[in-house]
Amino acid sequence: MFWRLALLFIGLPTLELFVIYLIMNLLPFGTILTILLILGTGMLGASLAKYQGMYCWTELHRQLDRGETPTQPIANGILILLAGGFLIMPGVITDISGILLLIPPVRRMVIAYALYRFEAYRLKLRQRPVSSPQNEIIDV
């Protein structure tokens, strides 16, 4: 787990800086283009996150009013919040990831993958042998 977090907090910013460097130096008007790209994706993503968040909020209330368990709106809300966090962070890769998470079919795929991983983990836990100590004495 430590190495995954280290990769996330060290590798992602390094990759972001590398992509920004490439855009700035390889494209004509690269500096202006990079600034416009980062600002544009941030503004576009913020408006999309607001719209998707409001839709998710109303869907959550609709399902609660019908007496249903709002699992899908909650999962969508978590991913919309994550997308908003990605859009706040400066960088091209995080902005693209955030905008992708705001697209409903992409969110459905992410939720399906997360459920698949969760179910696989649950099955793996079930298959572990449970060790019970022999002659265990419990005093009451």
Side-chain angles (χ1 to χ4, degrees):
M1 185 68 167
F2 170 76
W3 293 109
R4 289 181 185 173
L5 288 174
L7 184 65
L8 177 71
F9 289 117
I10 295 170
L12 185 61
T14 305
L15 189 62
E16 288 280 8
L17 287 173
F18 180 69
V19 169
I20 290 172
Y21 172 79
L22 287 177
I23 292 172
M24 288 177 71
N25 289 326
L26 296 179
L27 296 176
F29 305 106
T31 305
I32 294 170
L33 213 104
T34 304
I35 292 170
L36 289 176
L37 181 68
I38 290 172
L39 290 176
T41 55
M43 290 189 306
L44 173 70
S47 64
L48 280 173
K50 180 180 177 183
Y51 171 75
Q52 290 290 321
M54 293 304 294
Y55 177 77
C56 180
W57 185 255
T58 56
E59 186 62 29
L60 179 113
H61 279 284
R62 278 190 201 130
Q63 287 190 8
L64 283 175
D65 289 341
R66 288 190 303 244
E68 300 172 359
T69 305
T71 53
Q72 195 69 24
I74 289 173
N76 280 325
I78 291 170
L79 289 179
I80 290 169
L81 183 65
L82 182 65
F86 280 161
L87 290 166
I88 289 172
M89 288 193 280
V92 179
I93 297 169
T94 52
D95 284 348
I96 291 171
S97 301
I99 288 175
L100 284 176
L101 279 177
L102 292 176
I103 301 170
V106 173
R107 276 200 314 267
R108 281 193 293 272
M109 288 188 323
V110 170
I111 290 169
Y113 178 72
L115 288 175
Y116 168 76
R117 291 289 306 235
F118 176 73
E119 191 63 31
Y121 178 72
R122 213 178 77 174
L123 287 174
K124 188 171 88 173
L125 283 180
R126 271 191 198 165
Q127 293 174 356
R128 286 187 186 167
V130 178
S131 61
S132 61
Q134 299 292 330
N135 302 326
E136 182 177 347
I137 300 172
I138 299 174
D139 288 334
V140 179

